[in-house]
Amino acid sequence: MTAPSTARFTGKVALITGGGTNIGRTTALSFAREGALVVVAGRTAESLAETVGAIEAEGGKADAITADVTDSTEVARLVATVVERHGGLHIAFNNAGTVGKPGLLAELEEDVWDRVFAVNTRGVWLAMKYEIEHMRQHGGGVIVNAASNIGFHGRRPGLGAYAASKAAVSVLTRNAAREYIGEGVRINAVSAGGTDTPMSYRSGETTEQRDARVAAAVPLGRVATTQEIADGVLWLASDQSGYVVGHDLVIDGGATA
């Protein structure tokens, strides 16, 4: 793969948590196609290796590091290893997340609630903690966090823990953006709506049933592709959005509207 002449990320090192599948993998491929050296992180070595293989098959540069974003020691090691191996960290997409077992709030088990918040909210906080620590000391950088449109509207009974955890990511993003923009660290979030991943299906649904349900609920009439979400992440990470600070970019076909 030869980076296009308009490549926005040549010479940059980009870290993507949750980079083994779905939006994470598509975003990793997109960054690599625009010149970045991409490091994907997550708990499953096999899926990370598949992402690296896909990037390298196109001629791009990639690396994989296993890490649990809920563990501060592992997150610190992750960021330190990226810097040690590749000489820096310029861009981070904190994408690792989990939906958790669905359940109405009064029936939800405490361990499900705790796990969803550990991955979705604590994981983003820990990632930012160590990414910011490096970036503020090395000329700045860009961070994009994965929130969700459900954090805005909450219209999914049974997913209260997920909705609350993602709303927290959106607020945390705005707070962090204000705290660190003066030191050259620009932080934003992206909130995807229904996207063509396993999460877009309800239990037992066929693709046809999923598509019909979405068509009735989403003004645009379809789910997003993972590429459409990745395109938003890359824009937020690029100089083209250089005046955008503390924003949560909703990409949901008008569902929130």
Side-chain angles (χ1 to χ4, degrees):
M1 175 179 62
T2 301
S5 59
T6 56
R8 293 173 287 182
F9 305 108
T10 299
K12 304 292 187 182
V13 177
L15 169 63
I16 300 173
T17 67
T21 59
N22 301 321
I23 292 171
R25 177 175 290 175
T26 300
T27 305
L29 281 158
S30 297
F31 272 119
R33 288 168 183 151
E34 294 212 36
L37 186 156
V38 179
V39 181
V40 289
R43 294 189 302 159
T44 307
E46 292 79 6
S47 62
L48 297 177
E50 290 174 2
T51 299
V52 170
I55 290 171
E56 291 179 341
E58 295 186 359
K61 297 179 180 179
D63 189 11
I65 302 172
T66 56
D68 181 347
V69 297
T70 70
D71 186 316
S72 61
T73 301
E74 292 201 20
V75 178
R77 173 186 56 82
L78 168 63
V79 173
T81 302
V82 171
V83 174
E84 179 182 352
R85 288 183 183 177
H86 305 294
L89 174 61
H90 309 100
I91 298 163
F93 177 35
N94 298 321
N95 170 68
T98 184
V99 178
K101 182 180 178 181
L104 299 179
L105 287 177
E107 302 161 7
L108 199 63
E109 297 294 334
E110 290 182 26
D111 61 343
V112 174
W113 177 275
D114 291 343
R115 178 62 182 170
V116 169
F117 268 81
V119 177
N120 294 354
T121 309
R122 175 182 169 86
V124 167
W125 166 61
L126 285 175
M128 283 201 294
K129 177 180 175 67
Y130 293 102
E131 293 157 0
I132 290 168
E133 181 180 310
H134 171 79
M135 290 175 176
R136 69 195 298 202
Q137 296 175 13
H138 295 85
V142 181
I143 296 172
V144 181
N145 296 323
S148 170
N149 77 329
I150 197 173
F152 286 87
H153 62 66
R155 295 193 297 268
R156 284 291 300 277
L159 293 182
Y162 179 76
S165 71
K166 289 298 190 178
V169 169
S170 184
V171 174
L172 187 64
T173 296
R174 293 196 294 273
N175 193 84
R178 290 289 297 265
E179 289 181 349
Y180 293 104
I181 189 59
E183 297 183 75
V185 183
R186 191 167 60 85
I187 306 171
N188 292 287
V190 63
S191 280
T195 305
D196 193 16
T197 70
M199 182 183 165
S200 68
Y201 291 86
R202 294 182 180 175
S203 179
E205 257 187 343
T206 65
T207 298
E208 291 74 18
Q209 291 169 330
R210 189 274 316 265
D211 289 348
R213 172 175 53 81
V214 170
V218 176
L220 195 58
R222 63 172 177 82
V223 295
T225 67
T226 56
Q227 188 62 60
E228 287 172 319
I229 309 306
D231 289 344
V233 175
L234 265 68
W235 181 74
L236 287 172
S238 75
D239 291 342
Q240 292 169 311
S241 65
Y243 203 64
V244 179
V245 177
H247 181 60
D248 192 341
L249 178 62
V250 178
I251 306 174
D252 70 354
T256 300

